[in-house]
Amino acid sequence: MLGVLPDRKRNMKTKRPTILVIFGATGDLVAKKALPALFSLYQDRHLPDTMHFVAFSRRDWETEDYREYAAKLISEGSKEARRNFLELFSHVRGEFDSRESYKTLSDDLHRHDEMYETCANKLFYLAVPPEYYNTIFEELSRSGLTKPCGASGHTNAWTRVLVEKPFGKNLDTARALDEKLGKLFSEDQIYRIDHYLGKEMLQNILVFRFSNNLLEDSWNNKYVEKITVRFLESGGVETRGAFYDGVGALRDVGQNHILQMLALSTMNAPSSLSSEAIRQERSEVLKKLANPIPEKLANNSYRAQYEGYTDAEGVSKGSQTETYFKLVTHIDSPRWRGVPVILEAGKALPEDRKEIVIDFKRPAPCFCPPDEREGFKNKVIFSMEPDNKITVDLWAKSPGIELNFVKRVFELPFSHGEEREADAYERLLIDAINGDQTLFVSTPEVNSMWEFVDPILAAWSQGVVPLERYKKNSEGPMEATKEILEKASYGFHLQSEAPKRLRREIAIVGLGKMGGSMARNLLDQGWRVVGYNRSEESTHELMGHGLDGAFSVKELTEKLTKPRLVWVMVPAGEPTDQVLAQLVGLLDAGDTVIDGGNSNFNDSVRHHKEMAGHNINFLDVGVSGGQEGARHGACLMIGGREQLYEALLPLFRDLAAPGGFAHFEEPGAGHFVKMVHNGIEYGMMQAIAEGFNLMKESEYNLDLVEVARVYNSSSIIESRLVGWLGSGFHEYGVELTEIDGRVAHSGEGKWTVETAEKMGIEVPVIKASFDFRLASDQGPSYTGKAVMVMRNQFGGHSVKKK
């Protein structure tokens, strides 16, 4: 069953006569792409009923000469169809910089308007090298051709311009070009062609993602491990040497095709099917591309040139132009933060492969054989070459009695049977005629793409990344870039690609609600975890889940391979001091200790100094998210030396929710940020509890379970806290009869208030919420009960009356 939506129909017919003026009508682009596409549109009756083509070129030809030339370029269709199509063409001889030529062109267009007895639509197509753009634009403006029917002011006819990529050579030239265009045309008249957007598979990405409810909820950093966009070509520069040598792979396909492919696969759902909504979402995601940091490009990028490239005609002998590149970056948005984005393109490689690969994380916990955990992941591939298709890798049970797993690959070919795929230029040309800008690049997109690419090109030109060499049609560059992901330092690492210097082995002291959940989290992800808890019961229980149990701190350190990594997860204050004192006597220089408890940041500053005196590494980490977060992905606030933080990135990557960790350079900074977090938490919980108490006591008979549900369904105050309160209502009843209204408090709320007072900063909401907890011991209330229920739901705190 085929569905066609009215506002996205392609074969819209315009009743007004339309004239397409082709500048560069005898060039390769027109010969290979535009002419065959226009003839195909003509045969399929997609063109306006009254259509005329003006071929503008420097050839000293009459119209019949051009028709004979064009006839040789069209091989399909009947002889009659070709003849009728070619009769729609006229030829105007002219030079791009000659005012007289534009006068001749203007006269020709005016004659057609008189013949049609109306003002015709005008579409000016610049199928010429970019260096001619300015001249043509200036002459079009001076001749009055950019105005509908000259100065007559007919408003029912339109004038549009089609411009081929590249849109400038850098951000400055792109803006200059845009400024020139802006003086002649409004944005809705400008159609910038990146022909790859006309590829049917790229458009199919939008339909696959947003017209199905199967995968879109998993299309984010919670489930996606990495995104790869490839544009690999087996051919070399061939006859394009002179052009290519001044451009290179990054400008040629990276700045445009690859970034547009990335935008389509990562954009948010548009608000409608309109071109404005779709282009807006593409633009928004391109704005979020991380700004390249020159000093990090040495680790996050690679460039190379194939051997023999400098022998191509037009290429300088000492050329430093890259014919291959790989970049690792990320999209700095809530949806994608923390997901590596790998961009790769090159020439003279073993095969043509143009694709977008979405690699998903393995499930956690993973219902899979332990020895196969690393490869137990799903994958979606949008392929443009060698085949137009979508493939999805899934896991299933293989036939037989035993529970054996097998990977199944589902292929969705783009076309079926006799269905013909539309050529990219067919779609782009008819869309320009029909006024649909969906597949054309907007000004904000152009600017964002150059803003991303320019710093990379500048750093490369300064030698930050050396130009390597590879043999033509070899896998050399792909082999050489395998370690790029290991060295990437944007703040993320893949599950299976931790730096070699970090052993996936850790000890955890303190296996309570949080420590035990973190241990199980890491065990699920393939870590060896040695654990000790003062209560042996917790240790024995976790040993059933794969924990290597220890029954003293000494035994725990002896079970670790040097250099050792120990995570301390015990109550703040004296318990933490005691454990750290024990570890100092048992660890060696070069070992690392992480305090993940709720320690006072002042204590953490002291601990940093004490550990440094013994050459033991130390980080302070505030952990938020409750038991569920510790089990499946917490929020981590990390304080201490950046070098140590980067060395331990894979650990934080595995423990944290997607994008849920950040580093703050100074000792104690992690616990300071967590302290303030808890103070804010006090105020938020207090406000929620007071609000629900108000509703409970109102004259309305409100269903508070329903209030909690609707509050937590896309309202402004939607939050995990509201969700936890709703869960508490389900568990304990809305009256909360069994709940103790005396609200316990941790040290962090008190420390936040005391620290603010020392700093002279007013925190009235946090202070009032802390004072409420102190007072609740003498005056329990429904508000206190609501606060306690939230604490119970995220932290497992005891809440029932004693």
Side-chain angles (χ1 to χ4, degrees):
M1 179 178 178
L2 295 177
V4 181
L5 296 170
D7 60 338
R8 299 295 301 132
K9 256 179 118 173
R10 293 289 173 180
N11 58 346
M12 297 180 289
K13 286 292 190 80
T14 176
K15 296 180 179 180
R16 183 173 292 278
T18 301
I19 302 174
L20 171 59
V21 180
I22 306 173
F23 291 91
T26 57
D28 284 348
L29 179 59
V30 173
K32 295 177 181 178
K33 298 290 185 181
L35 265 177
L38 289 170
F39 181 59
S40 181
L41 291 171
Y42 170 79
Q43 288 196 108
D44 292 340
R45 303 180 64 83
H46 286 306
L47 295 175
D49 293 330
T50 304
M51 185 83 204
H52 183 69
F53 305 103
V54 177
F56 187 97
S57 80
R58 291 177 290 186
R59 303 275 182 102
D60 190 13
W61 283 351
E62 300 296 331
T63 291
E64 282 305 317
D65 297 321
Y66 185 81
R67 290 175 179 174
E68 289 179 13
Y69 162 79
K72 299 174 184 177
L73 303 174
I74 302 171
S75 57
E76 297 182 358
S78 66
K79 184 176 181 180
E80 181 182 4
R82 294 199 300 271
R83 183 180 66 252
N84 292 339
F85 171 68
L86 293 172
E87 286 179 356
L88 300 178
F89 281 82
S90 63
H91 180 265
V92 172
R93 183 193 177 282
E95 301 289 338
F96 296 148
D97 58 355
S98 166
R99 294 186 184 182
E100 187 60 34
S101 298
Y102 289 87
K103 175 66 168 57
T104 303
L105 175 61
S106 180
D107 291 342
D108 186 73
L109 297 180
H110 184 63
R111 280 194 299 273
H112 281 87
D113 284 338
E114 289 182 338
M115 181 178 66
Y116 299 140
E117 297 183 346
T118 187
C119 174
N121 298 322
K122 310 292 192 312
L123 177 60
F124 297 101
Y125 177 25
L126 276 63
V128 300
E131 56 263 30
Y132 295 112
Y133 286 176
N134 276 335
T135 300
I136 294 174
F137 291 146
E138 288 173 0
E139 294 302 330
L140 281 173
S141 176
R142 188 177 288 112
S143 65
L145 287 169
T146 57
K147 297 177 182 178
C149 296
S152 61
H154 289 263
T155 56
N156 291 330
W158 49 254
T159 302
R160 296 171 186 152
V161 61
L162 267 171
V163 184
E164 289 276 353
K165 80 167 187 74
F167 315 116
K169 197 170 183 178
N170 52 38
L171 182 59
D172 289 340
T173 57
R175 283 177 172 165
L177 174 60
D178 193 64
E179 183 179 351
K180 177 74 70 175
L181 276 169
K183 292 178 179 179
L184 305 177
F185 305 95
S186 59
E187 181 66 21
D188 62 352
Q189 292 178 286
I190 304 168
Y191 290 71
R192 300 173 186 83
I193 294 181
D194 179 345
H195 75 269
Y196 229 72
L197 277 175
K199 296 284 186 180
E200 295 221 62
M201 179 52 69
L202 287 189
Q203 298 157 56
N204 199 21
I205 294 173
L206 295 177
V207 177
F208 180 83
R209 286 186 57 196
F210 303 127
S211 298
N212 301 301
N213 201 27
L214 185 65
L215 288 173
E216 188 60 20
D217 284 347
S218 303
W219 215 260
N220 53 53
N221 54 12
K222 184 176 181 180
Y223 300 102
V224 173
E225 183 180 64
K226 65 176 176 178
I227 300 167
T228 305
V229 183
R230 294 191 179 95
F231 202 100
L232 311 180
E233 302 173 272
S234 59
V237 295
E238 315 307 344
T239 59
R240 297 177 69 222
F243 164 78
Y244 193 91
D245 201 41
V247 176
L250 183 56
R251 280 194 183 99
D252 188 40
V253 299
Q255 180 270 338
N256 36 71
H257 300 340
I258 282 185
L259 292 184
Q260 285 292 328
M261 291 162 72
L262 176 65
L264 286 169
S265 54
T266 57
M267 61 185 270
N268 289 334
S271 58
S272 70
L273 289 166
S274 69
S275 61
E276 293 82 6
I278 294 171
R279 297 210 306 174
Q280 173 66 24
E281 292 302 336
R282 286 203 316 251
S283 174
E284 287 300 316
V285 77
L286 288 170
K287 286 179 187 175
K288 300 296 183 183
L289 275 171
N291 291 328
I293 301 172
E295 55 268 27
K296 289 192 174 183
L297 284 170
N299 288 336
N300 295 321
S301 69
Y302 177 95
R303 64 190 186 113
Q305 183 188 98
Y306 68 80
E307 295 176 2
Y309 166 75
T310 54
D311 296 332
E313 184 179 352
V315 175
S316 63
K317 293 304 178 184
S319 173
Q320 290 295 297
T321 298
E322 81 285 349
T323 59
Y324 172 90
F325 72 85
K326 179 178 274 189
L327 290 167
V328 183
T329 184
H330 73 285
I331 298 168
D332 192 17
S333 70
R335 184 183 190 125
W336 295 112
R337 191 169 294 124
V339 177
V341 174
I342 298 101
L343 310 177
E344 180 182 34
K347 290 187 173 294
L349 298 170
E351 61 177 341
D352 292 306
R353 182 165 295 278
K354 296 163 187 174
E355 62 186 10
I356 303 163
V357 183
I358 311 295
D359 282 286
F360 288 82
K361 302 172 185 175
R362 62 174 173 270
C366 186
F367 186 71
C368 55
D371 57 343
E372 297 180 23
R373 182 183 283 116
E374 285 302 318
F376 219 82
K377 302 172 186 177
N378 303 122
K379 182 180 294 188
V380 175
I381 303 175
F382 300 101
S383 177
M384 278 65 73
E385 287 188 36
D387 300 304
N388 252 347
K389 63 182 179 181
I390 300 173
T391 58
V392 184
D393 290 357
L394 297 171
W395 288 91
K397 180 188 176 298
S398 63
I401 296 175
E402 297 184 2
L403 182 62
N404 293 321
F405 299 83
V406 62
K407 182 182 288 187
R408 301 294 191 194
V409 179
F410 290 83
E411 288 195 356
L412 291 80
F414 180 70
S415 57
H416 297 271
E418 299 300 316
E419 294 177 346
R420 185 181 76 86
E421 296 180 22
D423 174 77
Y425 270 85
E426 290 179 43
R427 187 167 298 275
L428 293 168
L429 288 168
I430 195 59
D431 279 1
I433 292 170
N434 289 334
D436 186 342
Q437 290 185 302
T438 303
L439 306 181
F440 297 88
V441 185
S442 65
T443 294
E445 289 176 274
V446 173
N447 290 340
S448 293
M449 291 188 291
W450 279 121
E451 284 169 358
F452 174 73
V453 166
D454 272 1
I456 299 170
L457 292 170
W460 285 359
S461 68
Q462 295 165 9
V464 171
V465 179
L467 183 69
E468 307 291 349
R469 296 289 191 275
Y470 63 98
K471 290 185 178 179
K472 194 172 183 179
N473 301 120
S474 75
E475 294 187 356
M478 281 85 83
E479 292 293 326
T481 56
K482 281 185 176 179
E483 293 187 1
I484 277 190
L485 295 181
E486 286 188 3
K487 297 188 295 180
S489 54
Y490 272 109
F492 44 67
H493 284 269
L494 307 186
Q495 289 170 323
S496 58
E497 301 188 26
K500 296 174 182 176
R501 65 181 180 275
L502 181 63
R503 188 183 304 105
R504 295 171 71 84
E505 175 185 282
I506 191 171
I508 298 180
V509 179
L511 302 173
K513 296 183 179 71
M514 294 293 288
S517 296
M518 293 173 73
R520 290 191 63 182
N521 186 351
L522 290 174
L523 286 166
D524 285 343
Q525 300 191 67
W527 283 71
R528 176 178 178 249
V529 182
V530 181
Y532 163 75
N533 196 67
R534 187 175 59 179
S535 167
E536 295 184 2
E537 182 181 350
S538 298
T539 306
H540 283 295
E541 181 184 349
L542 285 167
M543 288 173 69
H545 295 281
L547 180 83
D548 189 344
F551 297 94
S552 69
V553 175
K554 184 175 185 296
E555 182 186 358
L556 175 132
T557 58
E558 290 174 345
K559 284 193 169 188
L560 291 173
T561 308
K562 297 180 181 179
R564 292 167 286 199
L565 175 59
V566 181
W567 187 293
V568 178
M569 206 67 181
V570 300
E574 187 175 346
T576 297
D577 287 344
Q578 290 176 349
V579 170
L580 295 182
Q582 283 183 279
L583 288 171
V584 165
L586 296 169
L587 298 177
D588 298 325
D591 290 344
T592 299
V593 175
I594 299 171
D595 178 9
N598 287 330
S599 293
N600 187 298
F601 73 96
N602 292 304
D603 289 342
S604 297
V605 172
R606 173 169 54 84
H607 294 149
H608 271 270
K609 292 178 180 177
E610 291 171 352
M611 292 291 176
H614 297 274
N615 292 318
I616 296 173
N617 301 313
F618 186 82
L619 290 175
D620 57 283
V621 179
V623 182
S624 180
Q627 287 178 260
E628 182 67 19
R631 181 68 181 85
H632 297 297
C635 174
L636 306 179
M637 294 147 262
I638 306 158
R641 287 189 300 115
E642 182 176 11
Q643 186 177 0
L644 179 58
Y645 158 75
E646 290 194 348
L648 296 175
L649 270 172
L651 169 64
F652 302 132
R653 167 69 172 75
D654 284 351
L655 276 176
F661 64 96
H663 172 247
F664 309 98
E665 176 70 24
E666 299 299 322
H671 279 146
F672 179 83
V673 173
K674 176 58 164 54
M675 176 193 74
V676 176
H677 161 283
N678 277 30
I680 294 170
E681 176 191 303
Y682 273 38
M684 292 175 67
M685 292 173 69
Q686 185 72 21
I688 292 169
E690 289 175 0
F692 275 83
N693 183 37
L694 179 63
M695 289 185 283
K696 178 178 178 294
E697 297 299 326
S698 75
E699 61 184 26
Y700 296 104
N701 184 24
L702 298 174
D703 182 343
L704 297 188
V705 174
E706 270 297 281
V707 173
R709 183 194 64 78
V710 77
Y711 275 3
N712 225 35
S713 300
S714 300
S715 81
I716 295 299
I717 62 169
E718 178 183 15
S719 69
R720 299 177 77 186
L721 288 170
V722 173
W724 279 320
L725 180 58
S727 298
F729 285 153
H730 279 289
E731 184 172 349
Y732 299 111
V734 171
E735 295 298 324
L736 304 178
T737 305
E738 301 177 14
I739 305 302
D740 192 338
R742 293 171 296 181
V743 188
H745 57 88
S746 65
E748 288 175 295
K750 178 183 178 183
W751 300 335
T752 304
V753 173
E754 291 175 345
T755 301
E757 288 177 353
K758 289 180 181 178
M759 296 174 63
I761 303 296
E762 292 187 3
V763 287
V765 173
I766 296 173
K767 185 177 187 306
S769 62
F770 175 66
D771 290 342
F772 172 86
R773 295 194 180 198
L774 293 178
S776 70
D777 195 50
Q778 301 300 319
S781 65
Y782 186 85
T783 298
K785 291 182 177 187
V787 172
M788 285 300 288
V789 164
M790 285 183 272
R791 295 185 80 243
N792 166 260
Q793 292 297 305
F794 70 73
H797 303 287
S798 177
V799 294
K800 290 193 175 183
K801 291 179 180 178
K802 296 180 182 178

